[in-house]
Amino acid sequence: MKKIIVSILILVISISQSVFALEVYPPLEVVEGFRNIKIPDVGYITPRLYNTGMEYLKIDYMSNGVDIYRSKDCENWEYIKFISDEIMYEHEDAAYMFPGTTQPSSPFQIINTGQNYIVRRTTYDNAKPSNSVPDKAKFCIYDLDFNYIRTEVMFEGSYIIKMSYIDDVCYVTLANLKTYKSQDLSTWEEIYEGIGVPISNGETTIYTTIENDPNSTRPQLFQNPIISKDFKPDKKVAVEGIDMRTTNVCGKFFINYDNRDEEIFQAFDNSTIEKMWESEKNEGKKFPPHVSFSKDGVYWARFTLPEEPKSQISWIEEQKDGILICYGETYAYKLKYSDMEQIVPNSDIYVEVNKEVLGFDTPPILEDDRVLVPMRFLFQKMGAEVEWQEATQTATATLNDEEVSFSIDNNTAKVNGIAESMDVPARMSNDRTMVPLRFLSENLGYDVQWDEETKTAAITTESPQTQISQTGVISNIVNGIKNLFGIRQ
C-alpha cells in the first residue's frame, strides 16, 4: 500500500465572485494499491466498508463470491457468511442488487433495521442523464444472517434516487419527485412532493428540495437543504454552489461531492451542467472534483481535489477514522475526521432573510453583542447593490433610495451621505468583509428581530409599519367596493 500526504491550497474568492462554502485545505492521504485479490478482466477489487446505521459491514471480494463481516469498531470483525456468485444468481434481483463480484464497481447502500438488512444499488442516485434507468423502485431484503428474503418492488414506472432509515421508519424519494415512508417495508405512505428524504447525523436532520427542470433530460435536481424542526421540514437554507444530490452522512458530517469545473460551479444550472456532460462525452474532458462537508447543513466547508488521477469521484466510502474519496477501484484520497473537525465551519449564530436561513461561507461572528456577517451574500439576498473600493477598503450598499457606506475597522458609516456611528465596525475574516448586521439592515429599510433562544437574527424586507400601512390600504379598498355596491359592513 502506497501512502502520500498532500495538501490543497486555499482558493481566495473576491467580493465580486460567487460565494460558495468556505474554501479549506485539509491534509489528504493518497491511497494506492489497496486491493486484496485480482479478478480476471476486472482488476483488483477494494474491500468495501458500509455503515449500516448499527454497525460496519466489510465485503471482501473473492474470485467467486464475497465474504461478509460485521464490526462495531472496525477492529474486531465477526464473520457472517460467504455468498457465492452462483447463489446470488439463484435470485436474479439479488444478484443485481447485492454488491457481489458481478457488480464490483457499483455503489450500494446497506441499512440495518434491527430486524433485516435493506440492500439497494445507488448507481442512479447521482447518475448523468440517461434513458437507461430502472423502470421499478425496488430493493432487496435479507435477514441478519444475510439470507435472502425477498425483493420489495414499491412502484412500477419510477426508481429510487434516495433512501434513509431513521427512528424505525424507512424514507424513500423516487425519480417522480415524491417521497414516501414505511414502517413495515411493504405499506408506503406519500408524505412529501418536492422534498427529499430526511438525512440525520444524530444531532441535526436536514432535507433537500427537489426541482423539476423541463430543460434537462434528468427529471430532478437536488437543491438547497432544509433544516428540520420537530423532525419536520422547517426552513430552507440558501447555500450557493453545492449540489445536494450526493449528500450522505459519514460520522458526524454531512458530506457531498460534485465533479464540475469551476466555471460550471459558478453557473449552477441544469443547462450548463448538460453542456459539460456533453463536452465530456465528446471530448473526453475531466474536471477536478470538489468535496463539501458540514455538521449543521447550514455552514459548509469545501475543497478542490488535486488534478490527479485526472478522473472523477465515483463514491465516498466511510471509514472508522475518516472517509475514502474513491476514484473507481484504483485510487482514493483519505481524509481523517480529526482534520475535518479542525476546519469545518462552526457557529451557533444564524441569520434569516424572509425566513430563509443564509448559509454563509464564513459563519457570523459576535463582537460586543453585535452580529457581524459576510457582506456580499447578505446584500445579494436583500437585493442590494454593492460597490467595493479596494484602495480605501470601503463598501457602499445601495437599495432603492437608501445608501450606506462603511470602511474596514472604522466605526463611522455614512447613511445617505450623513455620518453615523456604529457600535462595531466592519471587519475582515477569512478574506471576507464582515459587516454589523442590525445597523446596515435597518439603515437599508429592513426590520431585524433577534431570537435569543435559537441565536437567530431574522430580517424581513418590509418593516411592521409598512405591512400595517399596506394592510390598511387594502382594507380601505375592500370597504370602498362594499359601499359602492351597497354591501353591508
Side-chain angles (χ1 to χ4, degrees):
M1 181 180 292
K2 181 180 178 183
K3 298 183 179 179
I4 308 170
I5 302 297
V6 300
S7 294
I8 307 226
L9 298 177
I10 286 182
L11 298 179
V12 179
I13 302 176
S14 68
I15 292 176
S16 62
Q17 290 180 308
S18 294
V19 172
F20 310 123
L22 174 66
E23 282 288 347
V24 295
Y25 51 108
L28 297 174
E29 180 182 293
V30 176
V31 184
E32 296 183 275
F34 59 132
R35 308 295 177 252
N36 68 333
I37 193 167
K38 188 173 183 179
I39 298 176
D41 301 324
V42 175
Y44 289 104
I45 305 302
T46 313
R48 291 275 186 87
L49 290 185
Y50 294 90
N51 186 341
T52 70
M54 292 192 178
E55 85 278 90
Y56 291 91
L57 291 182
K58 181 173 69 171
I59 310 295
D60 275 345
Y61 293 89
M62 314 306 290
S63 59
N64 61 340
V66 295
D67 277 325
I68 306 176
Y69 302 80
R70 62 180 155 220
S71 172
K72 294 288 188 181
D73 56 11
C74 284
E75 295 180 359
N76 302 298
W77 292 95
E78 172 195 356
Y79 178 74
I80 301 178
K81 69 183 304 181
F82 171 77
I83 301 180
S84 68
D85 290 340
E86 182 180 357
I87 292 176
M88 281 190 274
Y89 273 118
E90 291 179 3
H91 309 282
E92 181 179 355
D93 285 326
Y96 176 77
M97 302 291 283
F98 192 81
T101 54
T102 55
Q103 299 288 341
S105 297
S106 297
F108 285 81
Q109 180 180 16
I110 304 178
I111 297 172
N112 186 340
T113 69
Q115 298 178 326
N116 301 291
Y117 284 109
I118 300 173
V119 179
R120 76 177 187 96
R121 190 176 178 185
T122 60
T123 305
Y124 300 101
D125 285 23
N126 316 309
K128 299 175 183 178
S130 172
N131 293 325
S132 57
V133 295
D135 59 355
K136 298 178 181 178
K138 63 182 181 180
F139 54 87
C140 288
I141 300 175
Y142 295 79
D143 66 19
L144 295 182
D145 293 322
F146 264 101
N147 297 306
Y148 174 76
I149 298 177
R150 74 178 193 275
T151 297
E152 173 68 16
V153 179
M154 291 177 56
F155 299 100
E156 303 279 351
S158 190
Y159 57 95
I160 298 172
I161 60 174
K162 209 73 172 178
M163 173 185 283
S164 66
Y165 192 87
I166 302 175
D167 292 340
D168 300 324
V169 179
C170 184
Y171 298 87
V172 170
T173 299
L174 304 184
N176 61 11
L177 312 186
K178 296 181 179 181
T179 296
Y180 299 81
K181 71 175 183 179
S182 175
Q183 291 182 298
D184 59 8
L185 303 181
S186 295
T187 305
W188 296 91
E189 174 190 355
E190 181 181 346
I191 52 176
Y192 305 123
E193 183 169 0
I195 298 179
V197 301
I199 307 172
S200 177
N201 63 359
E203 298 177 358
T204 303
T205 299
I206 65 172
Y207 298 74
T208 49
T209 56
I210 316 170
E211 296 184 7
N212 194 2
D213 188 344
N215 298 319
S216 173
T217 56
R218 183 175 174 82
Q220 72 285 322
L221 179 68
F222 283 79
Q223 291 285 346
N224 292 344
I226 298 177
I227 55 177
S228 173
K229 181 178 182 181
D230 299 328
F231 204 67
K232 294 181 180 179
D234 186 28
K235 296 175 181 176
K236 185 177 179 180
V237 181
V239 179
E240 291 188 279
I242 293 181
D243 186 347
M244 297 297 295
R245 286 178 297 175
T246 62
T247 301
N248 281 306
V249 174
C250 293
K252 297 179 180 179
F253 298 92
F254 299 107
I255 296 180
N256 57 50
Y257 66 88
D258 64 82
N259 292 308
R260 293 166 287 163
D261 70 344
E262 201 64 30
E263 178 181 352
I264 292 171
F265 197 81
Q266 295 184 35
F268 183 48
D269 64 88
N270 275 359
S271 60
T272 311
I273 293 173
E274 294 278 349
K275 291 177 183 178
M276 183 207 73
W277 282 327
E278 189 64 27
S279 172
E280 178 185 322
K281 177 181 178 182
N282 294 334
E283 302 177 29
K285 291 183 179 178
K286 299 292 183 181
F287 304 106
H290 316 276
V291 173
S292 303
F293 56 94
S294 170
K295 296 188 76 171
D296 62 3
V298 176
Y299 302 128
W300 294 76
R302 168 184 175 264
F303 61 93
T304 304
L305 274 296
E307 291 187 2
E308 295 297 330
K310 298 185 183 301
S311 183
Q312 295 184 328
I313 297 173
S314 301
W315 65 83
I316 292 181
E317 180 179 315
E318 183 173 358
Q319 303 282 294
K320 176 187 177 182
D321 59 345
I323 59 173
L324 280 182
I325 305 166
C326 300
Y327 295 77
E329 298 286 353
T330 60
Y331 200 94
Y333 287 106
K334 183 173 182 179
L335 176 59
K336 294 183 178 180
Y337 290 138
S338 57
D339 292 322
M340 296 169 67
E341 288 281 1
Q342 296 297 318
I343 55 180
V344 66
N346 189 19
S347 175
D348 61 354
I349 301 173
Y350 297 95
V351 176
E352 299 176 7
V353 174
N354 293 330
K355 298 185 178 181
E356 183 179 52
V357 182
L358 303 189
F360 297 109
D361 60 346
T362 298
I365 58 177
L366 198 63
E367 182 176 335
D368 294 336
D369 294 324
R370 294 292 183 264
V371 176
L372 281 75
V373 300
M375 174 187 68
R376 198 210 62 84
F377 195 24
L378 172 68
F379 289 158
Q380 174 188 311
K381 301 305 292 186
M382 287 180 169
E385 295 182 1
V386 182
E387 179 183 343
W388 173 256
Q389 295 181 353
E390 182 66 29
T392 60
Q393 296 280 285
T394 300
T396 300
T398 305
L399 180 64
N400 300 326
D401 297 327
E402 305 295 334
E403 181 180 279
V404 181
S405 296
F406 54 91
S407 302
I408 301 299
D409 297 330
N410 190 333
N411 285 75
T412 300
K414 287 188 176 181
V415 180
N416 297 323
I418 301 174
E420 298 280 355
S421 179
M422 297 187 294
D423 294 335
V424 177
R427 303 291 193 190
M428 291 296 292
S429 177
N430 291 327
D431 294 304
R432 297 290 183 268
T433 302
M434 309 291 286
V435 297
L437 178 66
R438 180 177 292 277
F439 179 87
L440 292 172
S441 298
E442 292 182 345
N443 278 283
L444 287 173
Y446 291 116
D447 178 64
V448 183
Q449 299 293 327
W450 173 255
D451 187 328
E452 178 64 29
E453 183 179 354
T454 61
K455 302 291 184 184
T456 300
I459 303 170
T460 54
T461 56
E462 295 177 344
S463 67
Q465 291 80 7
T466 302
Q467 294 175 3
I468 292 171
S469 175
Q470 290 181 343
T471 301
V473 170
I474 294 173
S475 177
N476 289 336
I477 293 175
V478 171
N479 290 333
I481 293 174
K482 288 181 178 180
N483 291 332
L484 177 64
F485 289 97
I487 301 175
R488 299 173 71 102
Q489 300 292 325

